[in-house]
Amino acid sequence: MSNPKVIVVIGATGAQGGGLVRAILEDPAGGFVVRAVTRDTGSDKARELARLGAEVVAADVGDPASLDRAFAGAYGAYCVTFFWEHFSPDQEQAQASAMAEAAARAGLKHVIWSTLEDSRKWIPLTDDRMPTLMGRYKVPHFDAKDEANHFFTDAGVPTTFLLTSFYWDNLIHFGSGPKRGEDGVLDFVLPMGDKKLPGIAAADIGACAYGIFKRGDEFIGKTVGIAGEHLNGAEMAAALTKALGETVRHQAVPPDVYRSFGFPGADDLGNMFQFKAEANEMYTGNRPVALSRELNPGLQTFNQWLAANAAQIPLE
């Protein structure tokens, strides 16, 4: 392969970035090679990516000089931030700004920025249907990402704005899986009533992103949303019941109840689910499954993901 295009993947050992690294590595004739960026090149996950054939380099989204080194000579980059590490919209925006400026300095030809909608465009701060958080947000980890979009456009970076969906992997790693009630039956809590939740396997986010890169400049300047399937809580509970071999009940608690659970980020997530429910037609419409499958023909359904992963879901 002559002169392959280098794609820099921020957060290469994380949920989104890891899927993209593997998608590129699994297509050696695709015309791309991957430069996997991580803060710790000695971690088990980083060493595994190196073993698979990735160029693994150290950089930090808070360190512009390290980003310059990571982006040097590259064709494109996948940029993502890590809100749940620090719960700070200001820090998230600073990281997005640093990546956008570094991408501009490097002259990258195509950046995919992993972003989300600003919930305040549908539920303004003056609307008391849900509480305002941090004085200026409804859903901080959504709103701040949308606010950061302008860093890429202002810097003149050729950018695709990627709208991701709920990771089904959150059932394993983020405490979103079924919990055993006092009667011993598993309860799956999703405070969206009968509204649909777009979901996706984390690995498929990266595979869809790779599909975007392979389409050249077709999606530059555009917003692309992806999902593996749109399911409501009852449908997810039924799939979980089948996969786990025991009854899983859907508990459609009100958002206020979800916000009261008290775990870190419960208010943000409660607002998020309420936003997804109340702006459901827009939210699901922004994430067409057909386009996602066109970008990634191996796109998994929820049942397919469960078949491979149900045994890893912790049942408390």
Side-chain angles (χ1 to χ4, degrees):
M1 179 170 52
S2 61
N3 300 318
K5 298 175 179 178
V6 176
I7 300 295
V8 179
V9 181
I10 300 295
T13 60
Q16 296 187 32
L20 176 55
V21 171
R22 284 170 170 78
I24 296 171
L25 292 174
E26 290 167 3
D27 185 22
F32 296 92
V33 293
V34 64
R35 183 177 298 159
V37 174
T38 179
R39 286 171 296 185
D40 181 7
T41 58
S43 71
D44 290 344
K45 289 182 177 180
R47 287 199 300 268
E48 174 64 11
L49 294 180
R51 186 190 69 78
L52 293 172
E55 176 192 1
V56 178
V57 301
D60 190 298
V61 289
D63 178 1
S66 72
L67 288 173
D68 286 341
R69 292 191 295 271
F71 287 172
Y75 163 81
Y78 186 84
C79 294
V80 62
T81 51
F82 319 102
F83 178 87
W84 300 109
E85 288 187 353
H86 46 70
F87 295 83
S88 169
D90 290 340
Q91 186 170 337
E92 190 166 46
Q93 292 203 34
Q95 292 172 347
S97 176
M99 288 186 287
E101 292 172 4
R105 289 192 296 270
L108 297 188
K109 303 301 184 186
H110 192 177
V111 166
I112 296 178
W113 160 235
S114 179
T115 187
L116 290 163
E117 293 92 344
D118 186 338
S119 66
R120 297 166 298 182
K121 295 176 182 177
W122 290 268
I123 304 176
L125 296 181
T126 54
D127 192 323
D128 61 5
R129 281 179 289 170
M130 64 174 65
T132 294
L133 306 178
M134 303 180 184
R136 58 194 177 105
Y137 298 108
K138 289 299 189 182
V139 184
H141 80 280
F142 269 55
D143 303 347
K145 284 184 174 64
D146 183 87
E147 281 186 348
N149 290 353
H150 76 90
F151 293 123
F152 294 88
T153 52
D154 290 353
V157 176
T159 304
T160 301
F161 301 90
L162 183 67
L163 301 175
T164 58
S165 291
F166 175 86
Y167 308 170
W168 294 322
D169 307 66
N170 288 342
L171 302 178
I172 300 172
H173 305 297
F174 201 64
S176 301
K179 305 291 189 297
R180 206 168 294 281
E182 293 182 1
D183 60 0
V185 178
L186 291 169
D187 290 322
F188 175 60
V189 177
L190 187 66
M192 291 180 59
D194 63 355
K195 300 299 185 182
K196 302 281 189 177
L197 173 67
I200 195 168
D204 283 337
I205 295 173
C208 288
Y210 183 47
I212 291 171
F213 280 124
K214 288 195 295 183
R215 299 275 280 265
D217 61 3
E218 180 178 348
F219 295 107
I220 288 175
K222 297 180 180 179
T223 298
V224 178
I226 55 173
E229 203 166 4
H230 299 168
L231 299 169
N232 63 31
E235 290 167 334
M236 293 181 73
L240 285 161
T241 294
K242 181 178 179 181
L244 296 172
E246 63 174 301
T247 299
V248 177
R249 294 178 300 209
H250 173 220
Q251 295 286 6
V253 301
D256 280 343
V257 171
Y258 195 93
R259 285 188 282 267
S260 75
F261 286 164
F263 60 83
D267 50 359
D268 187 328
L269 292 175
N271 280 12
M272 175 197 74
F273 285 124
Q274 184 174 349
F275 162 62
K276 290 179 180 181
E278 296 193 8
N280 200 246
E281 184 175 353
M282 173 279 299
Y283 189 80
T284 56
N286 281 352
R287 291 159 173 80
V289 174
L291 175 59
S292 307
R293 191 170 300 282
E294 183 181 317
L295 294 169
N296 169 24
L299 188 73
Q300 299 168 77
T301 64
F302 188 45
N303 282 332
Q304 288 171 325
W305 180 86
L306 283 172
N309 295 281
Q312 299 181 59
I313 298 174
L315 303 179
E316 302 175 8

